[in-house]
Tab-separated table of all heavy atoms in Angstrom:
chain	number	residue	atom	x	y	z
A	1	PRO	N	5.710	16.135	-12.309
A	1	PRO	CA	6.992	16.990	-12.522
A	1	PRO	C	7.922	16.849	-11.350
A	1	PRO	O	7.499	16.753	-10.241
A	1	PRO	CB	6.365	18.346	-12.664
A	1	PRO	CG	4.970	18.154	-13.141
A	1	PRO	CD	4.469	16.916	-12.521
A	2	ASN	N	9.181	16.855	-11.751
A	2	ASN	CA	10.314	16.875	-10.812
A	2	ASN	C	10.505	15.569	-10.049
A	2	ASN	O	11.249	15.553	-9.039
A	2	ASN	CB	10.235	18.058	-9.792
A	2	ASN	CG	10.123	19.348	-10.491
A	2	ASN	OD1	10.847	19.657	-11.462
A	2	ASN	ND2	9.219	20.228	-9.986
A	3	LEU	N	9.884	14.503	-10.548
A	3	LEU	CA	10.060	13.195	-9.909
A	3	LEU	C	10.762	12.265	-10.864
A	3	LEU	O	10.944	12.533	-12.126
A	3	LEU	CB	8.705	12.581	-9.504
A	3	LEU	CG	7.944	13.375	-8.409
A	3	LEU	CD1	6.713	12.622	-8.014
A	3	LEU	CD2	8.854	13.460	-7.119
A	4	THR	N	11.209	11.111	-10.394
A	4	THR	CA	11.824	10.094	-11.219
A	4	THR	C	10.683	9.276	-11.866
A	4	THR	O	9.487	9.503	-11.726
A	4	THR	CB	12.747	9.175	-10.427
A	4	THR	OG1	11.886	8.494	-9.461
A	4	THR	CG2	13.723	9.965	-9.685
A	5	PHE	N	11.099	8.136	-12.594
A	5	PHE	CA	10.067	7.265	-13.164
A	5	PHE	C	9.235	6.591	-12.084
A	5	PHE	O	8.199	6.066	-12.425
A	5	PHE	CB	10.778	6.207	-13.989
A	5	PHE	CG	11.255	6.707	-15.378
A	5	PHE	CD1	12.497	6.792	-15.663
A	5	PHE	CD2	10.323	7.132	-16.286
A	5	PHE	CE1	12.965	7.299	-16.892
A	5	PHE	CE2	10.706	7.580	-17.555
A	5	PHE	CZ	12.020	7.670	-17.792
A	6	ALA	N	9.650	6.583	-10.835
A	6	ALA	CA	8.807	6.144	-9.737
A	6	ALA	C	7.658	7.065	-9.513
A	6	ALA	O	6.747	6.717	-8.725
A	6	ALA	CB	9.614	5.947	-8.462
A	7	GLY	N	7.622	8.208	-10.131
A	7	GLY	CA	6.599	9.175	-10.011
A	7	GLY	C	5.531	9.090	-11.083
A	7	GLY	O	4.663	9.980	-11.243
A	8	ARG	N	5.447	7.922	-11.775
A	8	ARG	CA	4.330	7.670	-12.666
A	8	ARG	C	3.031	7.707	-11.798
A	8	ARG	O	2.988	7.180	-10.652
A	8	ARG	CB	4.364	6.344	-13.347
A	8	ARG	CG	5.420	6.290	-14.442
A	8	ARG	CD	5.344	4.908	-15.113
A	8	ARG	NE	4.133	4.689	-15.862
A	8	ARG	CZ	3.842	3.575	-16.503
A	8	ARG	NH1	4.695	2.535	-16.505
A	8	ARG	NH2	2.744	3.396	-17.118
A	9	PRO	N	1.944	8.313	-12.252
A	9	PRO	CA	0.697	8.378	-11.461
A	9	PRO	C	0.286	7.015	-10.934
A	9	PRO	O	-0.151	6.869	-9.802
A	9	PRO	CB	-0.345	8.921	-12.383
A	9	PRO	CG	0.476	9.830	-13.336
A	9	PRO	CD	1.735	9.080	-13.520
A	10	ALA	N	0.385	5.939	-11.802
A	10	ALA	CA	0.001	4.601	-11.386
A	10	ALA	C	0.891	4.048	-10.226
A	10	ALA	O	0.392	3.498	-9.303
A	10	ALA	CB	0.057	3.616	-12.534
A	11	LEU	N	2.135	4.439	-10.284
A	11	LEU	CA	3.048	3.967	-9.284
A	11	LEU	C	2.913	4.659	-7.977
A	11	LEU	O	3.010	4.084	-6.846
A	11	LEU	CB	4.518	4.061	-9.760
A	11	LEU	CG	5.088	2.869	-10.611
A	11	LEU	CD1	4.166	2.629	-11.836
A	11	LEU	CD2	6.493	3.132	-10.969
A	12	LEU	N	2.577	5.906	-7.987
A	12	LEU	CA	2.292	6.707	-6.768
A	12	LEU	C	1.045	6.119	-6.130
A	12	LEU	O	0.944	6.057	-4.865
A	12	LEU	CB	2.145	8.170	-7.134
A	12	LEU	CG	3.396	8.871	-7.586
A	12	LEU	CD1	3.058	10.322	-7.946
A	12	LEU	CD2	4.474	8.829	-6.499
A	13	LEU	N	0.083	5.774	-6.929
A	13	LEU	CA	-1.159	5.108	-6.372
A	13	LEU	C	-0.786	3.797	-5.720
A	13	LEU	O	-1.361	3.449	-4.695
A	13	LEU	CB	-2.214	4.980	-7.475
A	13	LEU	CG	-3.551	4.546	-7.019
A	13	LEU	CD1	-4.154	5.562	-6.041
A	13	LEU	CD2	-4.536	4.413	-8.237
A	14	ALA	N	0.090	3.071	-6.304
A	14	ALA	CA	0.574	1.782	-5.709
A	14	ALA	C	1.233	2.084	-4.337
A	14	ALA	O	1.062	1.268	-3.396
A	14	ALA	CB	1.474	1.011	-6.681
A	15	LEU	N	1.993	3.143	-4.288
A	15	LEU	CA	2.649	3.482	-2.984
A	15	LEU	C	1.583	3.789	-1.954
A	15	LEU	O	1.723	3.416	-0.745
A	15	LEU	CB	3.565	4.666	-3.221
A	15	LEU	CG	4.398	5.031	-1.997
A	15	LEU	CD1	5.342	3.891	-1.536
A	15	LEU	CD2	5.221	6.316	-2.307
A	16	ALA	N	0.455	4.481	-2.394
A	16	ALA	CA	-0.624	4.747	-1.406
A	16	ALA	C	-1.231	3.419	-1.021
A	16	ALA	O	-1.700	3.297	0.161
A	16	ALA	CB	-1.630	5.646	-2.111
A	17	LEU	N	-1.334	2.414	-1.890
A	17	LEU	CA	-1.841	1.105	-1.481
A	17	LEU	C	-1.050	0.487	-0.488
A	17	LEU	O	-1.526	-0.256	0.430
A	17	LEU	CB	-2.010	0.242	-2.769
A	17	LEU	CG	-3.130	0.567	-3.704
A	17	LEU	CD1	-2.994	-0.296	-5.038
A	17	LEU	CD2	-4.417	0.386	-3.080
A	18	PHE	N	0.300	0.601	-0.586
A	18	PHE	CA	1.201	0.065	0.483
A	18	PHE	C	0.910	0.679	1.803
A	18	PHE	O	0.875	0.002	2.854
A	18	PHE	CB	2.674	0.230	0.019
A	18	PHE	CG	3.596	-0.391	1.053
A	18	PHE	CD1	3.952	-1.652	0.961
A	18	PHE	CD2	4.284	0.405	1.977
A	18	PHE	CE1	4.842	-2.282	1.871
A	18	PHE	CE2	5.167	-0.118	2.900
A	18	PHE	CZ	5.495	-1.449	2.847
A	19	ALA	N	0.752	1.995	1.805
A	19	ALA	CA	0.471	2.675	3.047
A	19	ALA	C	-0.927	2.243	3.614
A	19	ALA	O	-1.052	2.043	4.803
A	19	ALA	CB	0.520	4.209	2.819
A	20	TRP	N	-1.848	2.065	2.774
A	20	TRP	CA	-3.215	1.519	3.105
A	20	TRP	C	-3.078	0.171	3.811
A	20	TRP	O	-3.688	-0.108	4.847
A	20	TRP	CB	-4.095	1.546	1.905
A	20	TRP	CG	-5.520	1.196	2.186
A	20	TRP	CD1	-6.099	0.741	3.415
A	20	TRP	CD2	-6.586	1.220	1.254
A	20	TRP	NE1	-7.421	0.596	3.188
A	20	TRP	CE2	-7.797	0.875	1.896
A	20	TRP	CE3	-6.706	1.609	-0.136
A	20	TRP	CZ2	-9.076	0.785	1.303
A	20	TRP	CZ3	-7.944	1.546	-0.724
A	20	TRP	CH2	-9.061	1.153	-0.007
A	21	TRP	N	-2.283	-0.735	3.172
A	21	TRP	CA	-2.107	-2.081	3.769
A	21	TRP	C	-1.456	-2.009	5.058
A	21	TRP	O	-1.878	-2.765	6.043
A	21	TRP	CB	-1.248	-2.930	2.756
A	21	TRP	CG	-1.186	-4.415	3.127
A	21	TRP	CD1	-2.105	-5.260	2.841
A	21	TRP	CD2	-0.168	-4.964	3.937
A	21	TRP	NE1	-1.693	-6.498	3.354
A	21	TRP	CE2	-0.539	-6.309	4.053
A	21	TRP	CE3	0.992	-4.480	4.478
A	21	TRP	CZ2	0.295	-7.215	4.757
A	21	TRP	CZ3	1.798	-5.390	5.202
A	21	TRP	CH2	1.400	-6.739	5.353
A	22	MET	N	-0.454	-1.178	5.220
A	22	MET	CA	0.267	-1.073	6.524
A	22	MET	C	-0.707	-0.546	7.649
A	22	MET	O	-0.764	-1.082	8.681
A	22	MET	CB	1.403	-0.092	6.394
A	22	MET	CG	2.552	-0.715	5.608
A	22	MET	SD	3.311	-2.205	6.343
A	22	MET	CE	3.903	-1.496	7.900
A	23	LEU	N	-1.538	0.456	7.284
A	23	LEU	CA	-2.534	0.973	8.249
A	23	LEU	C	-3.562	-0.101	8.656
A	23	LEU	O	-3.941	-0.186	9.743
A	23	LEU	CB	-3.153	2.229	7.660
A	23	LEU	CG	-2.278	3.478	7.548
A	23	LEU	CD1	-3.069	4.595	6.787
A	23	LEU	CD2	-1.854	3.934	8.900
A	24	ALA	N	-3.923	-0.859	7.584
A	24	ALA	CA	-4.942	-1.885	7.860
A	24	ALA	C	-4.400	-2.964	8.776
A	24	ALA	O	-5.116	-3.521	9.618
A	24	ALA	CB	-5.418	-2.462	6.549
A	25	ARG	N	-3.097	-3.268	8.622
A	25	ARG	CA	-2.445	-4.246	9.540
A	25	ARG	C	-2.296	-3.682	10.917
A	25	ARG	O	-2.268	-4.483	11.917
A	25	ARG	CB	-1.110	-4.593	8.940
A	25	ARG	CG	-1.149	-5.349	7.598
A	25	ARG	CD	-1.798	-6.736	7.745
A	25	ARG	NE	-1.056	-7.615	8.618
A	25	ARG	CZ	-1.522	-8.783	9.054
A	25	ARG	NH1	-2.664	-9.250	8.623
A	25	ARG	NH2	-0.737	-9.591	9.814
A	26	LEU	N	-2.045	-2.392	11.123
A	26	LEU	CA	-1.853	-1.797	12.429
A	26	LEU	C	-3.082	-1.406	13.178
A	26	LEU	O	-3.078	-1.212	14.337
A	26	LEU	CB	-0.946	-0.605	12.215
A	26	LEU	CG	0.465	-0.884	11.721
A	26	LEU	CD1	1.207	0.425	11.435
A	26	LEU	CD2	1.230	-1.795	12.665
A	27	SER	N	-4.216	-1.376	12.408
A	27	SER	CA	-5.457	-0.926	13.047
A	27	SER	C	-6.326	-2.086	13.438
A	27	SER	O	-6.625	-2.953	12.601
A	27	SER	CB	-6.256	0.024	12.100
A	27	SER	OG	-7.500	0.324	12.594
A	28	ALA	N	-6.753	-2.218	14.680
A	28	ALA	CA	-7.507	-3.372	15.108
A	28	ALA	C	-8.879	-3.480	14.427
A	28	ALA	O	-9.217	-4.578	13.998
A	28	ALA	CB	-7.772	-3.215	16.671
A	29	PRO	N	-9.651	-2.374	14.141
A	29	PRO	CA	-10.927	-2.548	13.438
A	29	PRO	C	-10.749	-2.964	11.994
A	29	PRO	O	-11.635	-3.499	11.361
A	29	PRO	CB	-11.566	-1.170	13.498
A	29	PRO	CG	-10.884	-0.495	14.610
A	29	PRO	CD	-9.451	-1.032	14.622
A	30	LEU	N	-9.547	-2.758	11.439
A	30	LEU	CA	-9.314	-3.087	10.038
A	30	LEU	C	-8.431	-4.242	9.780
A	30	LEU	O	-8.113	-4.592	8.676
A	30	LEU	CB	-8.618	-1.865	9.324
A	30	LEU	CG	-9.535	-0.565	9.292
A	30	LEU	CD1	-8.659	0.551	8.534
A	30	LEU	CD2	-10.814	-0.795	8.540
A	31	LEU	N	-7.918	-4.869	10.880
A	31	LEU	CA	-6.939	-5.913	10.773
A	31	LEU	C	-7.455	-7.076	9.932
A	31	LEU	O	-8.580	-7.574	10.108
A	31	LEU	CB	-6.599	-6.440	12.144
A	31	LEU	CG	-5.548	-7.599	12.212
A	31	LEU	CD1	-4.251	-7.121	11.637
A	31	LEU	CD2	-5.393	-8.124	13.630
A	32	MET	N	-6.619	-7.406	8.888
A	32	MET	CA	-6.952	-8.464	7.958
A	32	MET	C	-6.536	-9.757	8.588
A	32	MET	O	-5.393	-10.222	8.528
A	32	MET	CB	-6.229	-8.224	6.597
A	32	MET	CG	-6.707	-6.962	5.948
A	32	MET	SD	-5.800	-6.463	4.456
A	32	MET	CE	-4.426	-5.679	5.261
A	33	VAL	N	-7.511	-10.473	9.152
A	33	VAL	CA	-7.286	-11.674	9.828
A	33	VAL	C	-7.188	-12.837	8.892
A	33	VAL	O	-7.577	-12.810	7.752
A	33	VAL	CB	-8.333	-11.958	10.922
A	33	VAL	CG1	-8.421	-10.849	11.920
A	33	VAL	CG2	-9.695	-12.127	10.288
A	34	GLY	N	-6.681	-13.988	9.388
A	34	GLY	CA	-6.593	-15.194	8.589
A	34	GLY	C	-5.297	-15.347	7.842
A	34	GLY	O	-4.561	-14.366	7.669
A	35	PRO	N	-4.937	-16.539	7.463
A	35	PRO	CA	-3.674	-16.839	6.788
A	35	PRO	C	-3.647	-16.200	5.349
A	35	PRO	O	-4.643	-16.086	4.735
A	35	PRO	CB	-3.590	-18.306	6.776
A	35	PRO	CG	-5.009	-18.797	6.760
A	35	PRO	CD	-5.805	-17.766	7.544
A	36	GLN	N	-2.423	-15.929	4.995
A	36	GLN	CA	-2.204	-15.559	3.565
A	36	GLN	C	-0.754	-15.783	3.294
A	36	GLN	O	0.143	-14.989	3.562
A	36	GLN	CB	-2.494	-13.999	3.412
A	36	GLN	CG	-2.176	-13.453	1.988
A	36	GLN	CD	-2.891	-14.274	0.832
A	36	GLN	OE1	-2.293	-15.162	0.326
A	36	GLN	NE2	-4.082	-13.848	0.550
A	37	PRO	N	-0.392	-16.952	2.633
A	37	PRO	CA	1.022	-17.299	2.386
A	37	PRO	C	1.784	-16.290	1.584
A	37	PRO	O	3.024	-16.163	1.728
A	37	PRO	CB	0.901	-18.596	1.622
A	37	PRO	CG	-0.444	-19.203	2.021
A	37	PRO	CD	-1.341	-18.041	2.243
A	38	LEU	N	1.071	-15.488	0.715
A	38	LEU	CA	1.739	-14.541	-0.144
A	38	LEU	C	2.402	-13.466	0.694
A	38	LEU	O	3.407	-12.876	0.308
A	38	LEU	CB	0.756	-13.948	-1.115
A	38	LEU	CG	1.325	-13.188	-2.291
A	38	LEU	CD1	2.335	-14.037	-3.023
A	38	LEU	CD2	0.207	-12.679	-3.203
């Protein structure tokens, strides 16, 4: 409620995945090493 179409539950979960990826990149114990062209 009170959100735009970006507030679909699936899309909010995708936003949480973006935050997870950023934290993993910034945290040394979680850093995803190795190449990834994507």
Side-chain angles (χ1 to χ4, degrees):
N2 302 319
L3 295 181
T4 65
F5 282 113
R8 288 183 67 181
L11 274 57
L12 292 177
L13 189 58
L15 185 61
L17 286 173
F18 182 81
W20 187 351
W21 188 85
M22 290 297 296
L23 290 172
R25 294 294 298 173
L26 295 173
S27 174
L30 297 178
L31 180 61
M32 294 171 282
V33 299
Q36 177 55 269
L38 194 55

